[in-house]
Amino acid sequence: MLDTAAFVARFNGSTSEFRDNRRAIVPAAKLSEAASALKTEFGFDMLVDVTAVDYLEYEGATDRFGVVYCLLNTTTGERVILKTFVNDPDPALPSVYSLWKGADWMEREVFDMFGIKFEGHPDLRRILMPDEFTAFPLRKDYPLKGRGERHNFPVITRAES
Amino acid sequence: MAEKLPDNVFLTTLDAAASWARKNSLWPMPFATACCGIELMATASSRFDLARFGAEVMRFSPRQCDLMIVAGRVVMKMLPVLQRIWMQMPEPKWCISMGACACTGGVFDTYAVVQGVDRFIPVDLYVPGCPPRPEQLIAALIEMQDIVQKTGTHNGREFGRRTTATGPIPIELDEIRRSREALPIVDLPIYNSPNLN
């Protein structure tokens, strides 16, 4: 069983807990170190999910983006949530692809939707939105209806088709 | 001349004969992306039996189809595909927009969902409903047969009349307001629509 308090103390992090969900919050600079420790020392061999939260205009928030890694130890069934924060103007994190191959598409999705770059990712392209798309739709400052992208297509009329 | 013909021979115009043949052998191209697609499948199933109208030959190659049924929501990533498939279908061809999403975007008034396929491809018939029942699609098909009988042959008259597109409407005021409220991004290149050719 991972002792989260002792674990985050190694990385100047903090911890919190909500209904058996244990979070280990570490600074972005210590993310690779913490992820690697969780994998090798504590046996969290499965990366269940990578996602992000935009804390723009969130009450009491000090950082713009939170990036969340949900980890699972498939031997013991133990779960932990590793979390870190990044900020504008150029949010970037080291990729955890070298630790968990499953990070490949998940990090691409976070990049596609939030514009957070993952350094060291082998193939950081858009995955959900079209390649030509320029915005990051899940950022809170992106309007729900977009900036007119959905209207921007050639029109085929009856006469020319 | 008619007096000399045997009883089992009819005289008609080629136009009417061709239209009659076309209307009774519509080959749909199912462009089904969502729940409407399931209703479309049900329409083709034995319970509703689209085969009664000669339209059971669903073809998944646009080269063999003359009726496109857009069933379900179309997103901006899929619209170039839809347009390409429409362009690949041989003439004469028709299009049914099935369900609220294909007609208007439905409840998905979001950045990615196209607000009605008729803004970008010509649509002959709209089927309301979310999703429409198979009976509604069958009613639309019968209606479509009527259209085909009347205007089936590509003789230029019908197509010449429809030279203007129904869309897209310029961004509505609400959208302008929303994008102004959003934090401006300096030098944001607008999304470049892909080239179909």
Side-chain angles (χ1 to χ4, degrees), chain A residues 134 144 150 152 154 158 161, chain B residues 83 91 93 124 175 191 193:
Chain A
T134 48
L144 176 66
R150 64 187 185 181
N152 203 3
R158 182 60 88 167
S161 64
Chain B
Q83 289 187 322
E91 285 183 20
K93 56 191 171 188
D124 293 282
E175 283 199 20
Y191 168 77
S193 59

Side-chain angles (χ1 to χ4, degrees), chain A residues 93-95 97 118-122:
Chain A
L93 278 176
S95 172
Y97 175 78
F118 290 91
E119 281 143 12
H121 189 283

